[in-house]
Amino acid sequence: MADLPPDLFDADWAREAERRALRDHRRATRARKARGLTGPSRGALLTALSFSAVVALAWAGFAFLDGTAPTASAPPTSAASTSTAPLRAHAEVDLTRPFADTPAAMWREGAGGIEPPPAHPVGPYSAEQVGQFMERVRRLIITARLDRTVLETRDPSLVLDQLAPALVEKLRPELAPGKEKESWYVAERIAAGARLLPVQPRVTGWMTPTVNEHGELTIRTNYLVAYAFDVPDPTKIDGPMDIVAVVRHEIEYRWIDDSKYAADARGVWFGEARGFSYSVDCAQSEHGFLAPDYNNPRETAAAAGHHRRSEEYFDPNIPMPTEDGCR
């Protein structure tokens, strides 16, 4: 009997992937500077090209390492609708309606934005099995991205309880204090000192069931979550994006149920994972924590390399951004 499902690639591949990511990131940065590009926000961070995250996610099937944007898969017909509402970057902020004047104002509140499509048979898996796994993934995402206990205590235990025990043991080194950036894909963590407003985050995106090359039932997810933060002095902020942080995740969840694996290896595993965050506190993001943009130095705006319209960072239909505005 095999103990664990196979790794998606080996350590040699991971080391080469890290070198390639570093090289291509530097090339992209030099090219942006040569073009003199500037952008709309002083606080966007590409987690997918964060060098420490590259190493941490190698075993999990991290594939976005060549400096190019992946092709965006079309959402299923049941996916939550996305907004094309414009962003009014300098609108007056109402802390009781923090998402007003942002595209996230049109998204669903909290768990209502994480809605699986109708279940149907996929490969050897019945519609009932597919539906059950999509519901497990839904609960897992809600816990990891919306549960206030997880977010505010920065303790992912409630998430880990929903994963295969063998995977949790494999994750232990990356879950140690001080390594939060390496396990960004496990759960969101709000920075100490940052306070969420008493409103539900806004969510949009979709999940799609498939069977991967190993014959495993896999749920591919693509979600954006907008978080609204309190601010000590509202008179010192310029507009809604000073307190609204947007996080996007494209994460695969694998269902391991083959009896050839040990009992503790069966359950939910991670597959490929990509992430991007927009309008965030760069210093906190460097340590794996989420905080709003208003703490960033103003001069960061001039150094940001964005060349998209601001609204595009709210759109799960576009390819994952490759810019890094925090370096």
Side-chain angles (χ1 to χ4, degrees):
M1 176 184 289
D3 290 332
L4 300 174
D7 284 339
L8 299 185
F9 41 76
D10 59 24
D12 290 338
W13 189 98
R15 284 191 290 270
E16 175 58 28
E18 181 187 10
R19 287 192 292 269
R20 188 166 66 247
L22 287 165
R23 180 195 65 208
D24 292 337
H25 177 73
R26 289 171 182 145
R27 287 178 179 173
T29 300
R30 288 196 297 269
R32 288 196 302 270
K33 289 179 178 178
R35 291 195 299 268
L37 294 171
T38 60
S41 172
R42 59 182 183 280
L45 171 68
L46 177 62
T47 310
L49 285 180
S50 166
F51 305 144
S52 62
V54 168
V55 178
L57 290 178
W59 68 266
F62 194 81
F64 182 31
L65 298 166
D66 63 357
T68 62
T71 302
S73 57
T77 55
S78 63
S81 61
T82 57
S83 169
T84 57
L87 169 65
R88 294 180 59 206
H90 300 290
E92 184 176 349
V93 175
D94 179 352
L95 294 184
T96 66
R97 299 173 55 250
F99 300 108
D101 297 304
T102 77
M106 304 296 291
W107 299 353
R108 294 179 181 177
E109 295 186 356
I114 305 172
E115 182 179 2
H120 58 83
V122 177
Y125 295 91
S126 68
E128 181 179 9
Q129 290 172 309
V130 171
Q132 289 173 346
F133 187 37
M134 286 195 294
E135 180 56 30
R136 290 188 68 152
V137 169
R138 177 179 179 272
R139 293 198 304 268
L140 184 56
I141 296 172
I142 290 170
T143 305
R145 307 298 166 193
L146 301 176
D147 188 287
R148 290 287 176 122
T149 299
V150 174
L151 293 172
E152 295 172 352
T153 66
R154 297 170 289 282
D155 180 357
S157 297
L158 294 176
V159 179
L160 303 180
D161 289 344
Q162 301 179 52
L163 303 175
L167 171 60
V168 174
E169 287 306 306
K170 191 162 188 167
L171 286 172
R172 290 294 180 195
E174 287 141 23
L175 294 170
K179 293 191 173 183
E180 287 81 4
K181 190 173 182 180
E182 297 180 14
S183 57
W184 63 269
Y185 56 95
V186 175
E188 207 66 59
R189 302 172 178 94
I190 302 300
R195 278 200 315 145
L196 291 170
L197 286 168
V199 297
Q200 288 283 345
R202 297 298 179 93
V203 184
T204 192
W206 59 84
M207 66 176 68
T208 305
T210 187
V211 173
N212 69 13
E213 62 186 46
H214 302 290
E216 302 160 352
L217 179 59
T218 301
I219 307 298
R220 294 176 178 168
T221 68
N222 179 11
Y223 284 98
L224 289 101
V225 184
Y227 299 90
F229 288 85
D230 201 356
V231 58
D233 185 355
T235 66
K236 292 186 177 180
I237 60 176
D238 295 332
M241 294 314 297
D242 278 357
I243 62 170
V244 173
V246 180
V247 179
R248 176 175 173 181
H249 294 112
E250 293 183 6
I251 297 178
E252 289 185 350
Y253 299 90
R254 304 158 59 198
W255 177 245
I256 305 299
D257 62 349
D258 196 319
S259 60
K260 70 182 180 182
Y261 300 127
D264 66 348
R266 298 174 209 164
V268 181
W269 286 66
F270 291 106
E272 293 183 0
R274 306 178 180 94
F276 183 87
S277 50
Y278 172 66
S279 190
V280 298
D281 183 318
C282 293
Q284 292 291 347
S285 289
E286 186 62 28
H287 297 286
F289 299 112
L290 185 66
D293 181 74
Y294 63 75
N295 283 331
N296 286 317
R298 295 293 173 175
E299 58 269 19
T300 307
H306 305 300
H307 55 275
R308 299 174 184 265
R309 293 183 301 106
S310 299
E311 291 84 353
E312 293 186 24
Y313 294 102
F314 292 82
D315 188 353
N317 295 288
I318 65 169
M320 184 73 74
T322 60
E323 305 94 311
D324 180 353
C326 280
R327 293 182 185 273

